[in-house]
Each structure stands twice: as C-alpha cells, then as structure tokens.
Amino acid sequence: MLFRSAESSSPSNEEVGTGDNSETIFYLDKKNILSDTYTFYYGAAASTTTELEETTHYTLDKDAGKITLTSAGVTLVGTNKIFAKYSYIDRKSVV
C-alpha cells in the first residue's frame, strides 16, 4: 500500500471512556500515535484531572491507539472518565 500523504494532528481533552472498576481496555479515536506526544488523565471532568503514569497505570499500543490499564490504573481511575491529549499521523492511502 502506498501512502499519498501523512498529516499530524493533535486532539486535546479527548474523552476516551469511563472506568467501571474493572474495564482495562480503551481505544483512542485515532491510531498511529506519535511517541512522546501523549498524556492521559482521569477525573470527573476535563477541568479537574490527574495525570496517569505510563507503565505504572497504563500501557499504550501506539499503532492501534489501544490503552490498557494496569491493575493500579483500574483502581486509580475507579469510575472516573479518562481523557487524552496526543498527536497522531493521519495516513491517507492510495489503492
């Protein structure tokens, strides 16, 4: 597959999902997340959040846009919302 163009974009305060004290898998709206551009937060609202720490609270599959909470992350998030800020590459394919 050939790629016609690749553009970088950056959503801010994307609401990823809401914890339920057991769910571990959440998906971002976009894939192909750029390294060192992402931060994840949890809280009741986007204006009152606390940052999650990578490896301690979550892992990220950057190609798939898949967040996996660790057991510590599940406990910390509880029933709060998860928010994300990140940059990604939007690849437009040519068939």
Side-chain angles (χ1 to χ4, degrees):
M1 179 179 292
L2 299 173
F3 292 104
R4 178 180 61 206
S5 66
E7 298 174 10
S8 177
S9 296
S10 302
S12 90
N13 291 330
E14 175 184 317
E15 189 174 320
V16 178
T18 302
D20 65 1
N21 288 310
S22 65
E23 185 64 41
T24 59
I25 306 293
F26 296 89
Y27 287 91
L28 298 171
D29 288 345
K30 303 296 180 180
K31 300 177 183 180
N32 304 311
I33 310 306
L34 297 172
S35 295
D36 302 322
T37 67
Y38 52 88
T39 307
F40 300 103
Y41 305 87
Y42 73 96
S47 60
T48 58
T49 58
T50 303
E51 189 173 337
L52 294 166
E53 295 181 31
E54 190 168 13
T55 65
T56 301
H57 301 130
Y58 70 91
T59 59
L60 175 64
D61 177 337
K62 292 183 276 304
D63 293 333
K66 177 182 171 184
I67 304 165
T68 303
L69 293 180
T70 64
S71 58
V74 170
T75 300
L76 194 61
V77 170
T79 58
N80 285 295
K81 295 178 182 179
I82 299 171
F83 299 94
K85 293 181 184 179
Y86 59 93
S87 294
Y88 66 96
I89 296 292
D90 186 12
R91 295 184 174 124
K92 300 187 187 316
S93 60
V94 175
V95 185

Coordinates of all heavy atoms in Angstrom, one line a residue:
M1 N 0.8 -1.2 0.0 CA 0.0 0.0 0.0 C 0.9 1.2 0.0 O 1.8 1.3 0.8 CB -0.9 0.0 1.2 CG -1.8 1.2 1.3 SD -2.9 1.2 2.7 CE -4.0 -0.2 2.3
L2 N 0.6 2.2 -0.8 CA 1.3 3.4 -0.9 C 0.5 4.5 -0.1 O -0.7 4.5 -0.1 CB 1.5 3.9 -2.4 CG 2.2 2.9 -3.3 CD1 2.2 3.4 -4.7 CD2 3.7 2.8 -2.8
F3 N 1.3 5.4 0.5 CA 0.7 6.5 1.2 C 0.8 7.8 0.4 O 1.9 8.2 0.0 CB 1.3 6.6 2.6 CG 0.9 5.5 3.5 CD1 1.9 4.5 3.7 CD2 -0.3 5.3 4.0 CE1 1.6 3.4 4.5 CE2 -0.6 4.3 4.8 CZ 0.3 3.3 5.1
R4 N -0.3 8.4 0.2 CA -0.3 9.7 -0.6 C 0.2 10.8 0.3 O 1.0 11.7 -0.2 CB -1.8 10.0 -1.0 CG -1.9 11.3 -1.8 CD -3.4 11.5 -2.2 NE -4.2 11.6 -1.0 CZ -5.5 11.3 -1.0 NH1 -6.1 10.9 -2.0 NH2 -6.1 11.4 0.2
S5 N -0.2 10.9 1.5 CA 0.3 12.0 2.4 C 0.2 11.5 3.9 O -0.5 10.6 4.2 CB -0.5 13.3 2.2 OG -1.9 13.1 2.6
A6 N 0.8 12.2 4.7 CA 0.8 11.9 6.1 C 0.7 13.3 6.9 O 1.6 14.1 6.7 CB 2.0 11.1 6.6
E7 N -0.3 13.5 7.6 CA -0.5 14.7 8.3 C -0.5 14.5 9.8 O -1.1 13.4 10.2 CB -1.8 15.4 7.9 CG -1.9 15.8 6.4 CD -3.2 16.4 6.0 OE1 -4.0 16.6 6.9 OE2 -3.4 16.5 4.8
S8 N 0.0 15.4 10.6 CA 0.0 15.2 12.0 C -1.1 16.1 12.6 O -1.3 17.2 12.2 CB 1.3 15.6 12.6 OG 1.3 15.6 14.0
S9 N -1.9 15.5 13.5 CA -2.9 16.3 14.2 C -2.9 16.0 15.7 O -2.3 15.0 16.1 CB -4.3 15.8 13.7 OG -4.4 16.2 12.3
S10 N -3.5 16.9 16.5 CA -3.4 16.7 17.9 C -4.8 17.0 18.6 O -5.1 18.2 18.9 CB -2.4 17.7 18.5 OG -1.1 17.5 17.9
P11 N -5.5 16.0 18.9 CA -6.7 16.2 19.7 C -6.4 16.6 21.1 O -5.3 16.2 21.7 CB -7.5 14.9 19.8 CG -6.7 13.9 19.0 CD -5.4 14.6 18.6
S12 N -7.2 17.5 21.8 CA -6.9 17.8 23.2 C -8.2 17.5 24.0 O -9.3 17.8 23.6 CB -6.4 19.2 23.3 OG -7.4 20.1 23.5
N13 N -8.0 16.9 25.1 CA -9.1 16.5 26.0 C -10.1 15.6 25.4 O -11.3 15.7 25.6 CB -9.8 17.8 26.6 CG -8.9 18.5 27.6 OD1 -8.0 17.9 28.2 ND2 -9.0 19.8 27.6
E14 N -9.6 14.7 24.6 CA -10.5 13.6 24.0 C -11.0 12.8 25.2 O -10.2 12.3 26.0 CB -9.7 12.8 23.1 CG -10.5 11.6 22.6 CD -9.7 10.7 21.7 OE1 -9.0 11.2 20.8 OE2 -9.8 9.4 21.8
E15 N -12.3 12.6 25.3 CA -12.9 11.8 26.3 C -12.8 10.3 25.8 O -13.5 9.9 24.9 CB -14.3 12.2 26.6 CG -14.8 11.4 27.8 CD -16.2 11.9 28.3 OE1 -16.5 13.1 28.2 OE2 -17.0 11.0 28.6
V16 N -11.9 9.5 26.4 CA -11.6 8.2 25.9 C -12.7 7.2 26.4 O -13.1 6.3 25.7 CB -10.2 7.7 26.4 CG1 -9.9 6.3 25.9 CG2 -9.2 8.7 25.9
G17 N -13.1 7.3 27.7 CA -14.1 6.4 28.2 C -14.2 6.6 29.7 O -13.6 7.5 30.3
T18 N -15.1 5.8 30.3 CA -15.3 5.9 31.8 C -15.0 4.6 32.4 O -15.4 3.6 32.0 CB -16.8 6.3 32.0 OG1 -17.1 7.5 31.3 CG2 -17.1 6.5 33.5
G19 N -14.2 4.7 33.5 CA -13.9 3.5 34.3 C -15.1 2.9 34.9 O -16.1 3.6 35.2
D20 N -15.0 1.6 35.2 CA -16.1 0.9 36.0 C -15.5 0.0 37.0 O -16.2 -1.0 37.5 CB -17.0 0.1 35.0 CG -16.3 -1.0 34.3 OD1 -15.1 -1.3 34.6 OD2 -16.9 -1.7 33.5
N21 N -14.3 0.3 37.5 CA -13.6 -0.5 38.5 C -13.2 -1.9 38.0 O -12.7 -2.7 38.8 CB -14.4 -0.7 39.8 CG -14.5 0.6 40.6 OD1 -13.5 1.3 40.8 ND2 -15.7 1.0 40.9
S22 N -13.3 -2.2 36.7 CA -12.8 -3.5 36.2 C -12.3 -3.4 34.7 O -11.5 -4.2 34.4 CB -13.9 -4.5 36.3 OG -15.0 -4.2 35.5
E23 N -12.9 -2.5 33.9 CA -12.5 -2.5 32.5 C -11.0 -2.0 32.4 O -10.6 -1.1 33.0 CB -13.4 -1.4 31.8 CG -13.1 -1.4 30.3 CD -13.5 -2.7 29.5 OE1 -14.5 -3.3 29.9 OE2 -12.7 -3.1 28.7
T24 N -10.3 -2.8 31.5 CA -8.9 -2.4 31.3 C -8.6 -1.9 29.9 O -7.5 -1.3 29.7 CB -8.0 -3.7 31.6 OG1 -8.4 -4.7 30.7 CG2 -8.1 -4.2 33.0
I25 N -9.4 -2.1 28.9 CA -9.1 -1.8 27.5 C -9.9 -0.6 27.1 O -11.2 -0.6 27.2 CB -9.4 -3.0 26.6 CG1 -8.6 -4.2 27.0 CG2 -9.0 -2.6 25.1 CD1 -7.1 -4.1 26.9
F26 N -9.3 0.4 26.5 CA -9.9 1.6 26.0 C -9.2 1.9 24.7 O -8.0 1.7 24.5 CB -9.8 2.8 26.9 CG -10.5 2.6 28.2 CD1 -9.9 2.0 29.3 CD2 -11.9 3.0 28.4 CE1 -10.6 1.8 30.5 CE2 -12.5 2.8 29.6 CZ -11.9 2.2 30.7
Y27 N -10.0 2.5 23.7 CA -9.4 2.9 22.4 C -9.5 4.4 22.2 O -10.6 5.0 22.5 CB -10.1 2.1 21.3 CG -9.8 0.7 21.2 CD1 -10.5 -0.3 21.9 CD2 -8.6 0.2 20.5 CE1 -10.1 -1.6 21.9 CE2 -8.3 -1.1 20.5 CZ -9.0 -2.0 21.2 OH -8.7 -3.3 21.1
L28 N -8.4 4.9 21.7 CA -8.5 6.3 21.3 C -9.2 6.5 20.0 O -9.4 5.5 19.3 CB -7.0 6.8 21.1 CG -6.1 6.8 22.3 CD1 -4.7 7.1 21.9 CD2 -6.6 7.8 23.3
D29 N -9.7 7.7 19.6 CA -10.4 7.9 18.4 C -9.5 7.7 17.2 O -9.9 7.4 16.1 CB -11.0 9.3 18.3 CG -12.1 9.5 19.3 OD1 -12.7 8.5 19.7 OD2 -12.5 10.6 19.5
K30 N -8.1 7.9 17.4 CA -7.2 7.8 16.3 C -6.1 6.7 16.6 O -5.9 6.4 17.7 CB -6.5 9.2 16.1 CG -7.4 10.3 15.8 CD -8.2 10.1 14.5 CE -9.1 11.2 14.2 NZ -9.9 11.0 13.0
K31 N -5.4 6.3 15.5 CA -4.3 5.4 15.6 C -3.0 6.1 15.2 O -3.1 7.3 14.9 CB -4.6 4.2 14.7 CG -5.8 3.4 15.0 CD -6.0 2.3 13.9 CE -7.3 1.6 14.2 NZ -7.5 0.5 13.2
N32 N -1.9 5.3 15.2 CA -0.6 5.9 14.8 C -0.2 7.1 15.6 O 0.1 8.1 15.1 CB -0.7 6.3 13.3 CG -1.1 5.1 12.4 OD1 -0.5 4.0 12.5 ND2 -2.0 5.3 11.5
I33 N -0.2 6.8 16.9 CA 0.1 7.9 17.9 C 1.6 8.1 17.9 O 2.4 7.1 17.9 CB -0.3 7.4 19.3 CG1 -1.8 7.0 19.3 CG2 -0.1 8.5 20.3 CD1 -2.8 7.9 18.8
L34 N 2.0 9.3 17.9 CA 3.5 9.7 17.9 C 4.1 9.5 19.2 O 3.5 9.9 20.2 CB 3.7 11.1 17.4 CG 3.2 11.3 15.9 CD1 3.2 12.8 15.6 CD2 4.0 10.6 14.9
S35 N 5.2 8.9 19.3 CA 6.0 8.7 20.6 C 6.2 10.1 21.2 O 6.4 11.1 20.6 CB 7.3 8.1 20.3 OG 7.1 6.8 19.8
D36 N 6.1 10.1 22.5 CA 6.4 11.3 23.4 C 5.4 12.4 23.1 O 5.8 13.6 23.4 CB 7.8 11.8 23.2 CG 8.8 10.7 23.5 OD1 8.6 9.9 24.5 OD2 9.9 10.6 22.8
T37 N 4.2 12.2 22.6 CA 3.3 13.3 22.4 C 2.0 13.1 23.2 O 1.1 13.9 23.1 CB 2.9 13.4 20.9 OG1 2.1 12.2 20.5 CG2 4.0 13.6 20.0
Y38 N 1.9 12.0 23.9 CA 0.6 11.6 24.6 C 0.7 11.8 26.1 O 1.7 11.5 26.7 CB 0.2 10.2 24.2 CG 1.3 9.1 24.4 CD1 1.4 8.5 25.6 CD2 2.1 8.8 23.4 CE1 2.4 7.5 25.9 CE2 3.1 7.8 23.6 CZ 3.2 7.2 24.8 OH 4.2 6.3 25.1
T39 N -0.4 12.1 26.6 CA -0.6 12.2 28.1 C -2.1 11.8 28.3 O -3.0 12.2 27.6 CB -0.4 13.7 28.6 OG1 0.8 14.1 28.1 CG2 -0.5 13.7 30.1
F40 N -2.3 11.0 29.4 CA -3.6 10.5 29.7 C -3.9 11.0 31.1 O -3.0 11.0 32.0 CB -3.7 9.0 29.6 CG -3.4 8.5 28.2 CD1 -2.2 7.9 27.9 CD2 -4.4 8.7 27.3 CE1 -1.9 7.5 26.6 CE2 -4.1 8.3 25.9 CZ -2.9 7.7 25.6
Y41 N -5.2 11.3 31.3 CA -5.6 11.9 32.6 C -6.9 11.2 33.0 O -7.6 10.6 32.2 CB -6.0 13.4 32.5 CG -4.9 14.2 31.9 CD1 -4.7 14.4 30.5 CD2 -4.0 14.9 32.7 CE1 -3.7 15.2 30.0 CE2 -3.0 15.7 32.2 CZ -2.8 15.8 30.9 OH -1.8 16.6 30.4
Y42 N -7.2 11.3 34.3 CA -8.5 10.8 34.8 C -9.1 11.8 35.7 O -8.4 12.6 36.3 CB -8.4 9.4 35.5 CG -7.8 9.5 36.8 CD1 -8.6 9.6 38.0 CD2 -6.4 9.6 37.0 CE1 -8.0 9.7 39.2 CE2 -5.8 9.7 38.2 CZ -6.6 9.7 39.4 OH -6.0 9.8 40.6
G43 N -10.5 11.8 35.8 CA -11.2 12.8 36.6 C -12.6 12.8 36.3 O -13.1 12.2 35.3
A44 N -13.4 13.5 37.1 CA -14.8 13.6 36.9 C -15.2 14.5 35.7 O -16.2 14.3 35.0 CB -15.5 14.2 38.2
A45 N -14.3 15.4 35.4 CA -14.5 16.3 34.2 C -13.1 16.7 33.7 O -12.1 16.6 34.4 CB -15.2 17.6 34.7
A46 N -13.1 17.2 32.5 CA -11.8 17.5 31.8 C -11.1 18.7 32.6 O -9.9 18.8 32.5 CB -12.0 18.0 30.4
S47 N -11.8 19.5 33.3 CA -11.2 20.6 34.0 C -10.6 20.2 35.4 O -9.9 21.0 36.0 CB -12.2 21.7 34.2 OG -13.3 21.2 35.0
T48 N -10.9 19.0 35.8 CA -10.4 18.5 37.1 C -9.8 17.1 37.0 O -10.3 16.1 37.4 CB -11.5 18.5 38.2 OG1 -12.5 17.6 37.7 CG2 -12.1 19.8 38.5
T49 N -8.6 17.1 36.4 CA -8.0 15.8 36.1 C -6.6 15.6 36.8 O -6.0 16.6 37.2 CB -7.8 15.6 34.6 OG1 -6.9 16.7 34.1 CG2 -9.1 15.6 33.8
T50 N -6.2 14.4 36.9 CA -4.9 14.0 37.4 C -4.2 13.1 36.4 O -4.9 12.2 35.8 CB -5.1 13.2 38.7 OG1 -5.8 14.0 39.7 CG2 -3.7 12.8 39.3
E51 N -3.0 13.3 36.1 CA -2.2 12.6 35.1 C -2.0 11.1 35.5 O -1.7 10.8 36.7 CB -0.9 13.3 34.8 CG -0.2 12.7 33.6 CD 1.1 13.5 33.3 OE1 1.1 14.7 33.6 OE2 2.0 12.9 32.6
L52 N -2.2 10.2 34.5 CA -1.8 8.8 34.7 C -0.4 8.6 34.3 O 0.1 9.3 33.4 CB -2.7 7.9 33.8 CG -4.2 7.9 34.2 CD1 -5.0 7.3 33.1 CD2 -4.4 7.1 35.5
E53 N 0.3 7.7 34.9 CA 1.7 7.4 34.6 C 1.9 6.2 33.7 O 1.4 5.1 34.1 CB 2.5 7.3 35.9 CG 2.6 8.5 36.7 CD 3.4 8.3 38.0 OE1 4.4 7.5 38.0 OE2 3.1 9.0 39.0
E54 N 2.6 6.3 32.6 CA 2.8 5.2 31.7 C 3.6 4.1 32.5 O 4.5 4.4 33.3 CB 3.6 5.6 30.5 CG 3.6 4.5 29.4 CD 4.1 5.0 28.1 OE1 4.7 6.1 28.0 OE2 4.0 4.2 27.1
T55 N 3.3 2.9 32.2 CA 3.8 1.6 32.8 C 3.2 1.4 34.2 O 2.9 0.3 34.5 CB 5.3 1.4 32.8 OG1 5.9 2.4 33.7 CG2 5.9 1.5 31.5
T56 N 3.1 2.4 35.0 CA 2.5 2.2 36.4 C 1.0 2.1 36.3 O 0.4 1.2 36.9 CB 2.8 3.4 37.3 OG1 4.3 3.6 37.4 CG2 2.2 3.3 38.6
H57 N 0.4 2.9 35.4 CA -1.1 2.9 35.3 C -1.6 2.4 34.0 O -2.8 2.0 33.9 CB -1.6 4.4 35.6 CG -1.2 4.9 36.9 ND1 -0.7 6.1 37.1 CD2 -1.3 4.4 38.1 CE1 -0.4 6.3 38.4 NE2 -0.8 5.3 39.0
Y58 N -0.8 2.4 32.9 CA -1.3 2.0 31.6 C -0.1 1.7 30.7 O 1.0 2.1 31.0 CB -2.1 3.1 31.0 CG -1.3 4.3 30.5 CD1 -0.8 4.4 29.2 CD2 -1.1 5.4 31.4 CE1 0.0 5.5 28.8 CE2 -0.3 6.5 31.0 CZ 0.2 6.5 29.7 OH 1.0 7.6 29.3
T59 N -0.5 1.0 29.6 CA 0.4 0.8 28.5 C -0.3 1.3 27.3 O -1.6 1.3 27.3 CB 0.9 -0.7 28.3 OG1 -0.3 -1.5 28.1 CG2 1.7 -1.2 29.5
L60 N 0.4 1.6 26.2 CA -0.2 2.1 25.0 C 0.3 1.4 23.8 O 1.5 1.4 23.6 CB 0.0 3.6 24.9 CG -0.5 4.3 23.6 CD1 -2.0 4.2 23.5 CD2 0.0 5.7 23.5
D61 N -0.6 0.8 23.0 CA -0.2 0.3 21.7 C -0.4 1.5 20.7 O -1.5 1.8 20.4 CB -1.1 -0.9 21.3 CG -0.8 -1.4 20.0 OD1 -0.3 -0.7 19.1 OD2 -1.2 -2.6 19.7
K62 N 0.7 2.2 20.4 CA 0.6 3.4 19.6 C 0.0 3.1 18.2 O -0.7 4.0 17.7 CB 2.0 4.0 19.5 CG 2.4 4.6 20.8 CD 3.7 5.3 20.8 CE 5.0 4.5 20.8 NZ 5.1 3.6 22.0
D63 N 0.3 2.0 17.6 CA -0.2 1.7 16.2 C -1.7 1.5 16.2 O -2.4 2.0 15.3 CB 0.5 0.5 15.7 CG 2.0 0.7 15.4 OD1 2.4 1.8 15.2 OD2 2.7 -0.3 15.4
A64 N -2.2 0.9 17.3 CA -3.7 0.6 17.3 C -4.5 1.7 18.1 O -5.7 1.7 18.0 CB -3.9 -0.8 18.0
G65 N -3.8 2.6 18.8 CA -4.5 3.5 19.6 C -5.2 2.9 20.8 O -6.2 3.3 21.3
K66 N -4.6 1.8 21.3 CA -5.2 1.0 22.4 C -4.5 1.2 23.7 O -3.3 1.0 23.9 CB -5.1 -0.5 22.0 CG -5.6 -1.4 23.1 CD -5.4 -2.9 22.6 CE -5.7 -3.9 23.7 NZ -5.4 -5.3 23.2
I67 N -5.3 1.6 24.7 CA -4.8 1.9 26.1 C -5.2 0.7 26.9 O -6.4 0.3 26.9 CB -5.4 3.1 26.7 CG1 -5.2 4.3 25.9 CG2 -4.9 3.3 28.1 CD1 -6.0 5.5 26.3
T68 N -4.3 0.1 27.6 CA -4.6 -1.0 28.6 C -4.2 -0.5 30.0 O -3.0 -0.2 30.2 CB -3.8 -2.3 28.2 OG1 -4.1 -2.6 26.9 CG2 -4.1 -3.4 29.1
L69 N -5.2 -0.4 30.8 CA -4.9 0.0 32.2 C -4.3 -1.2 33.0 O -4.7 -2.4 32.8 CB -6.2 0.4 32.9 CG -6.9 1.7 32.4 CD1 -8.1 2.0 33.2 CD2 -5.9 2.9 32.5
T70 N -3.4 -0.9 33.8 CA -2.8 -1.9 34.8 C -3.8 -2.0 35.9 O -4.8 -1.3 36.0 CB -1.5 -1.5 35.3 OG1 -1.6 -0.3 36.1 CG2 -0.4 -1.3 34.2
S71 N -3.6 -3.0 36.8 CA -4.5 -3.1 38.0 C -4.4 -1.8 38.8 O -5.4 -1.4 39.3 CB -4.1 -4.4 38.8 OG -2.8 -4.3 39.2
A72 N -3.2 -1.2 38.9 CA -3.1 0.0 39.7 C -3.9 1.1 38.9 O -4.5 2.0 39.6 CB -1.6 0.4 39.8
G73 N -3.9 1.1 37.6 CA -4.6 2.1 36.8 C -6.1 2.0 37.0 O -6.9 2.9 37.1
V74 N -6.6 0.7 37.0 CA -8.0 0.4 37.2 C -8.5 1.0 38.5 O -9.5 1.6 38.7 CB -8.3 -1.1 37.1 CG1 -9.8 -1.4 37.5 CG2 -8.1 -1.5 35.6
T75 N -7.7 0.7 39.6 CA -8.0 1.2 40.9 C -8.0 2.7 41.0 O -8.9 3.3 41.6 CB -7.0 0.6 41.9 OG1 -7.1 -0.8 41.9 CG2 -7.3 1.1 43.3
L76 N -7.0 3.3 40.4 CA -6.9 4.8 40.4 C -8.0 5.5 39.7 O -8.6 6.4 40.2 CB -5.6 5.2 39.8 CG -5.1 6.6 40.1 CD1 -4.9 6.9 41.6 CD2 -3.8 6.9 39.4
V77 N -8.3 5.0 38.5 CA -9.4 5.6 37.7 C -10.8 5.4 38.3 O -11.6 6.3 38.3 CB -9.4 5.0 36.2 CG1 -10.6 5.4 35.5 CG2 -8.1 5.5 35.5
G78 N -11.0 4.2 38.9 CA -12.3 3.9 39.5 C -13.4 4.1 38.5 O -13.5 3.4 37.5
T79 N -14.3 5.0 38.8 CA -15.5 5.3 37.9 C -15.4 6.6 37.3 O -16.4 7.2 36.8 CB -16.8 5.1 38.7 OG1 -16.8 6.0 39.8 CG2 -17.0 3.7 39.2
N80 N -14.2 7.2 37.3 CA -13.9 8.5 36.6 C -13.8 8.3 35.1 O -13.6 7.2 34.6 CB -12.6 9.1 37.2 CG -12.9 9.7 38.6 OD1 -13.6 10.6 38.8 ND2 -12.2 9.1 39.6
K81 N -13.7 9.4 34.4 CA -13.5 9.5 33.0 C -12.0 9.5 32.7 O -11.2 10.0 33.5 CB -14.2 10.7 32.4 CG -15.7 10.7 32.5 CD -16.3 12.0 32.0 CE -17.8 11.9 32.2 NZ -18.4 13.1 31.6
I82 N -11.6 9.0 31.6 CA -10.3 9.0 31.1 C -10.2 10.0 29.9 O -11.1 9.9 29.0 CB -9.8 7.6 30.6 CG1 -9.8 6.7 31.8 CG2 -8.4 7.7 30.0 CD1 -9.6 5.2 31.4
F83 N -9.3 10.9 29.9 CA -9.1 11.9 28.9 C -7.7 11.8 28.3 O -6.8 11.3 29.0 CB -9.2 13.3 29.5 CG -10.6 13.6 30.1 CD1 -10.8 13.4 31.4 CD2 -11.6 14.0 29.3 CE1 -12.0 13.6 32.0 CE2 -12.9 14.3 29.9 CZ -13.1 14.1 31.2
A84 N -7.5 12.2 27.0 CA -6.2 12.1 26.4 C -5.9 13.3 25.6 O -6.8 14.0 25.0 CB -6.3 10.9 25.4
K85 N -4.6 13.6 25.5 CA -4.0 14.6 24.6 C -2.9 13.8 23.9 O -2.1 13.2 24.6 CB -3.4 15.8 25.4 CG -4.5 16.6 26.1 CD -3.8 17.7 26.8 CE -4.9 18.5 27.6 NZ -4.3 19.6 28.3
Y86 N -2.8 13.9 22.6 CA -1.8 13.2 21.8 C -1.7 13.8 20.4 O -2.6 14.5 20.0 CB -2.1 11.7 21.8 CG -3.5 11.3 21.2 CD1 -3.6 11.0 19.8 CD2 -4.6 11.3 22.0 CE1 -4.8 10.7 19.3 CE2 -5.8 11.0 21.4 CZ -5.9 10.7 20.1 OH -7.1 10.3 19.5
S87 N -0.7 13.4 19.7 CA -0.5 13.7 18.3 C -0.5 12.4 17.5 O 0.0 11.4 18.1 CB 0.7 14.5 18.0 OG 0.7 15.8 18.6
Y88 N -1.0 12.4 16.3 CA -1.0 11.2 15.5 C -0.8 11.5 14.1 O -0.9 12.7 13.7 CB -2.4 10.4 15.7 CG -3.5 11.2 15.1 CD1 -4.0 11.0 13.8 CD2 -4.2 12.2 15.8 CE1 -5.0 11.7 13.2 CE2 -5.2 12.9 15.3 CZ -5.6 12.7 14.0 OH -6.6 13.4 13.4
I89 N -0.4 10.5 13.3 CA -0.2 10.6 11.9 C -1.4 10.1 11.2 O -1.9 9.0 11.4 CB 1.0 9.9 11.4 CG1 2.3 10.4 12.0 CG2 1.1 9.8 9.9 CD1 2.7 11.8 11.6
D90 N -2.0 11.0 10.4 CA -3.2 10.6 9.6 C -2.7 10.2 8.2 O -2.4 11.1 7.4 CB -4.2 11.7 9.5 CG -5.5 11.4 8.8 OD1 -5.7 10.2 8.6 OD2 -6.3 12.3 8.5
R91 N -2.6 8.9 8.0 CA -2.1 8.4 6.7 C -3.2 8.2 5.7 O -4.2 7.5 6.0 CB -1.3 7.1 6.9 CG -0.1 7.3 7.7 CD 0.7 6.0 7.8 NE 1.9 6.3 8.5 CZ 2.3 5.6 9.6 NH1 1.6 4.7 10.1 NH2 3.5 5.9 10.1
K92 N -3.1 8.8 4.6 CA -4.1 8.7 3.5 C -3.5 7.7 2.5 O -2.5 8.0 1.9 CB -4.5 10.0 2.9 CG -5.0 11.0 3.9 CD -5.5 12.2 3.3 CE -5.9 13.3 4.3 NZ -6.7 12.9 5.4
S93 N -4.2 6.6 2.3 CA -3.7 5.5 1.4 C -4.1 5.7 0.0 O -5.2 6.3 -0.3 CB -4.0 4.2 1.9 OG -5.4 4.0 1.9
V94 N -3.3 5.2 -0.9 CA -3.6 5.2 -2.3 C -3.7 3.7 -2.7 O -2.8 2.9 -2.4 CB -2.5 5.9 -3.2 CG1 -2.8 5.7 -4.6 CG2 -2.4 7.3 -2.8
V95 N -4.8 3.3 -3.3 CA -5.0 1.9 -3.7 C -4.4 1.6 -5.0 O -4.4 2.4 -5.9 CB -6.6 1.6 -3.7 CG1 -6.8 0.1 -3.9 CG2 -7.2 2.1 -2.4

